Amino acid sequence: MDTLVRRIISDSDERFAKNIATFQESYGSRVAFQELNDDRLREKLWEALFLRLLDDSRSSDRYDCLSTLRILSRDKTNLNELITDERIDVLLDIADLKDVNSNGPTTCTNVTVEALKLLCNLIYNSTRLQRLLPRTTTCLRCLIERMRKYDDDDSVPLEVMLFDTRIVFLITALNVATRRIIRTELKGDECLIKMLGNVRQRAGSRAIDHDGSTLACEVLKALFNLYINFEETEEEEKTEELVSILYKLLLSKCKNEDELQSNIVNLLTVIPRDRYSAIVPPTDEVHERVFEKLDMSAVAVLLKFLDERLDRNEDLIGNLSPIVTAFVKMARAERPIRKYARLRILPPLRDVMHRPEEGTTLRAKLCKLLTSPVTEVRDLVAEFLFILCKENVSRMVKYTGYGNAAGMFANKGLLGASGKKPVYSSESEDSETEEYLRHREQINPVTGCFESPKPDPLEGMTEEQKEYEALQLVGLVDKLTRGGLVQPCRIGNDGKPKPIEHVLELREESPEQLHGRRTSADDSDSDSD
């Protein structure tokens, strides 16, 4: 590499193209260039390439210079020093992101696209550029203005749209202050929402092609950054339009469907909770996905997405947190979504012979995660199921088993006397199944399934023998406690477990706890919604 780089630095015009092509072919996939650390080769190469960019007589070399700089910009070594104000200005000029007052159509060539690609790399790797871009340049304003003209200028290539959007995504991800600038001052989210709608509209009744879905994914990622700390404002109409577009996208066929749906789910997690109604629009049609005269097609797609993600055993947080979070927010915000999701996930209980976590149903897959060591996923899933149960403890026990739900009950302080109950609709509809009623007395609430009667282990023992066995048990628990292997607890007034100093304290029971247990046992077990 050393010899080749030195030739490029001192090349005549005749040999430059050949040597630069050799460099790109040999090192185009590299992300680090340690060989350039010696004899200031890195600085000399950058300087030589920018001198050619500045020389109008060598405009034919611009694409090759930019392509080479794009490869070099993957290496962060001295990058902040290499990106001088003058060089930033050159790149913005080539990318047509310098003159905010330009009224004519954008002249987009392969050189423009290459400059945008280079800017993406530099924004990603240079902390200096991340700071300077919104402060000392008009780049962001020019970018949004160009996006605003996409509809009027059919000559703008899709690649330019893609990398314009990627710049918005990168700068808003890496410099939080730019989110307010782009969303509030420049109204950039309006442009992005319009782009998203255009992708769907251009596809018509056909499937969204690969280029269209790639652009849509980039727009969705940029919008996520802009709305992640969204403040409730008067912009209700704009976000309702966005959710309506998301509804249409969820029902669309496309080449990379999983990636598109994944980005839609991410965006749904940051939508304000009072804006979800557009994802279940009213309809007069009659089909299996209509519920209470609302079209639940998009919710059905999201449930299928959840089911598929539950089958992935790797990266539970990355795969499950967004979709479960989205369902938690939607179920809390829209009662019909909660009811529809409950019918699909926790239908009237008929299989009482197997534990809740056994099987391949959505209920089984979710219940299995209630004891997951990945606490973030476990707690999210528990919250989701609890909401589907209308935050009713006895119903949660019925569908998941006390053993699976105990951790959540402890965290929420629901183990003792019942506290303030959440407000849900009072509509009632008994959905107890014959199977459940027939075996109800033999269902173990801890495991959540039917268990055959077992012989009484104390049968035939005298009272003295029973007392002896009880004392033996107390001694064993005390030994485990002193050894630090277990920590016995009792339920405090706040409904949460409280450590005790000695196991004999378990024999004491406060009136409040006794009342709380009786109340819990007497709770209605109706499945009404």
Side-chain angles (χ1 to χ4, degrees):
M1 177 187 281
D2 183 285
T3 304
L4 179 60
V5 169
R6 291 182 187 278
R7 285 206 303 264
I8 292 173
I9 292 171
S10 59
D11 264 345
S12 61
D13 291 345
E14 292 77 18
R15 300 183 59 186
F16 177 80
K18 180 181 178 181
N19 287 328
I20 210 75
T22 303
F23 180 90
Q24 292 176 7
E25 184 179 346
S26 302
Y27 307 108
S29 59
R30 289 271 295 273
V31 294
F33 301 91
Q34 298 88 343
E35 301 92 334
L36 299 180
N37 295 337
D38 300 331
D39 195 24
R40 296 185 66 252
L41 278 180
R42 190 186 312 276
E43 290 81 355
K44 292 175 183 177
L45 181 56
W46 276 73
E47 184 177 1
L49 293 170
F50 268 98
L51 283 174
R52 285 184 176 269
L53 286 175
L54 287 167
D55 190 344
D56 291 336
S57 66
R58 294 172 170 174
S59 58
S60 59
D61 294 334
R62 279 188 165 185
Y63 179 83
D64 287 332
C65 289
L66 291 167
S67 299
T68 306
L69 286 166
R70 174 172 54 81
I71 295 168
L72 295 171
S73 64
R74 298 169 187 160
D75 191 334
K76 293 184 179 182
T77 307
N78 297 336
L79 196 56
N80 286 336
E81 292 74 27
L82 293 168
I83 302 301
T84 62
D85 291 350
E86 182 185 19
R87 289 173 181 175
I88 293 172
D89 197 57
V90 170
L91 293 179
L92 293 179
D93 191 29
I94 297 173
D96 201 16
L97 294 175
K98 185 178 175 182
D99 186 5
V100 74
N101 296 315
S102 176
N103 295 319
T106 304
T107 305
C108 297
T109 64
N110 61 342
V111 173
T112 311
V113 173
E114 204 61 29
L116 290 171
K117 290 180 181 178
L118 174 54
L119 280 170
C120 286
N121 276 8
L122 294 175
I123 292 170
Y124 183 72
N125 286 322
S126 170
T127 54
R128 182 172 186 271
L129 190 58
Q130 294 161 17
R131 293 193 307 269
L132 291 182
L133 213 59
R135 290 183 185 177
T136 63
T137 75
T138 57
C139 174
L140 297 183
R141 187 171 295 276
C142 291
L143 199 61
I144 301 304
E145 285 301 315
R146 180 155 75 194
M147 287 181 166
R148 199 165 276 121
K149 296 174 184 176
Y150 283 165
D151 279 350
D152 302 325
D153 189 358
D154 295 334
S155 65
V156 180
L158 184 136
E159 273 194 303
V160 171
M161 296 183 190
L162 179 65
F163 288 105
D164 278 354
T165 309
R166 189 162 295 171
I167 288 175
V168 174
F169 164 69
L170 288 170
I171 197 65
T172 52
L174 299 168
N175 185 340
V176 176
T178 60
R179 296 172 187 173
R180 182 191 59 81
I181 295 171
I182 292 176
R183 192 184 71 217
T184 306
E185 296 180 17
L186 303 177
K187 306 294 182 185
D189 56 334
E190 294 179 0
C191 298
L192 291 166
I193 292 171
K194 193 171 184 180
M195 286 174 63
L196 201 59
N198 288 341
V199 169
R200 176 64 189 86
Q201 191 174 1
R202 278 195 294 268
S205 58
R206 306 185 311 276
I208 299 173
D209 60 23
H210 182 272
D211 289 341
S213 59
T214 301
L215 177 59
C217 288
E218 210 64 43
V219 173
L220 290 165
K221 290 191 288 186
L223 283 169
F224 174 86
N225 288 346
L226 295 181
Y227 284 100
I228 191 169
N229 294 317
F230 186 84
E231 298 174 2
E232 297 292 334
T233 66
E234 68 283 353
E235 300 174 327
E236 183 175 352
E237 184 177 343
K238 182 165 52 178
T239 45
E240 279 188 0
E241 179 189 358
L242 172 58
V243 176
S244 179
I245 294 170
L246 297 182
Y247 160 80
K248 294 173 184 175
L249 286 173
L250 282 169
L251 302 188
S252 301
K253 299 292 183 183
C254 69
K255 297 296 183 182
N256 48 345
E257 189 173 82
D258 184 75
E259 184 182 359
L260 181 65
Q261 290 178 358
S262 178
N263 281 290
I264 291 173
V265 166
N266 289 340
L267 185 53
L268 284 172
T269 64
V270 297
I271 294 293
R273 62 169 294 168
D274 60 340
R275 312 292 164 80
Y276 287 113
S277 58
I279 209 160
V280 285
T283 181
D284 293 327
E285 296 181 15
V286 179
H287 54 77
E288 61 179 3
R289 292 184 175 182
V290 173
F291 182 76
E292 296 187 351
K293 295 185 177 181
L294 298 174
D295 184 0
M296 293 287 169
S297 297
V299 178
V301 171
L302 292 173
L303 285 170
K304 182 174 180 289
F305 180 86
L306 170 63
D307 196 14
E308 291 171 351
R309 287 299 169 102
L310 285 167
D311 290 333
R312 299 185 182 183
N313 296 320
E314 75 283 353
D315 188 17
L316 287 180
I317 293 177
N319 283 321
L320 288 175
S321 288
I323 182 61
V324 179
T325 299
F327 265 116
V328 166
K329 293 190 67 176
M330 290 190 297
R332 282 196 182 279
E334 296 292 329
R335 174 175 163 270
I337 294 179
R338 174 179 58 80
K339 292 180 69 175
Y340 181 81
R342 177 180 166 269
L343 286 173
R344 297 298 177 273
I345 296 172
L346 303 177
L349 194 56
R350 289 187 168 82
D351 181 7
V352 295
M353 298 299 172
H354 297 90
R355 293 192 176 203
E357 66 272 19
E358 293 177 349
T360 58
T361 63
L362 269 171
R363 170 189 171 225
K365 292 175 184 178
L366 288 168
C367 286
K368 196 177 298 181
L369 291 169
L370 292 176
T371 53
S372 168
V374 185
T375 56
E376 182 177 335
V377 172
R378 181 197 68 198
D379 294 345
L380 263 176
V381 168
E383 184 72 14
F384 179 39
L385 291 173
F386 198 43
I387 291 168
L388 294 185
C389 293
K390 296 172 71 173
E391 302 187 40
N392 181 289
V393 171
S394 60
R395 184 176 299 175
M396 182 79 168
V397 170
K398 172 183 174 181
Y399 280 101
T400 69
Y402 184 83
N404 288 327
M408 187 206 69
F409 294 154
N411 291 336
K412 286 181 172 287
L414 298 172
L415 293 175
S418 55
K420 184 179 179 182
K421 293 186 178 181
V423 178
Y424 281 93
S425 60
S426 59
E427 289 184 14
S428 223
E429 198 177 283
D430 189 2
S431 60
E432 299 269 348
T433 62
E434 290 183 12
E435 294 87 346
Y436 180 78
L437 291 173
R438 189 184 310 126
H439 301 288
R440 182 172 181 171
E441 297 304 319
Q442 286 79 43
I443 292 176
N444 185 335
V446 175
T447 61
C449 70
F450 173 88
E451 288 187 3
S452 301
K454 294 180 175 61
D456 184 358
L458 302 180
E459 188 177 353
M461 286 187 182
T462 65
E463 291 301 320
E464 290 79 8
Q465 288 173 320
K466 292 177 183 178
E467 185 174 352
Y468 173 78
E469 292 297 335
L471 290 173
Q472 288 290 100
L473 180 60
V474 169
L476 288 171
V477 173
D478 185 51
K479 184 177 180 181
L480 291 171
T481 303
R482 285 187 280 106
L485 296 176
V486 297
Q487 175 63 72
C489 296
R490 64 184 301 173
I491 307 304
N493 292 331
D494 60 356
K496 295 185 178 182
K498 303 292 182 185
I500 60 172
E501 293 183 3
H502 196 278
V503 292
L504 290 179
E505 292 182 47
L506 293 174
R507 298 180 62 182
E508 302 173 9
E509 191 89 64
S510 69
E512 291 83 1
Q513 288 175 308
L514 288 170
H515 171 72
R517 290 190 178 184
R518 283 195 293 270
T519 303
S520 177
D522 294 339
D523 275 346
S524 170
D525 198 30
S526 167
D527 281 342
S528 61
D529 223 315

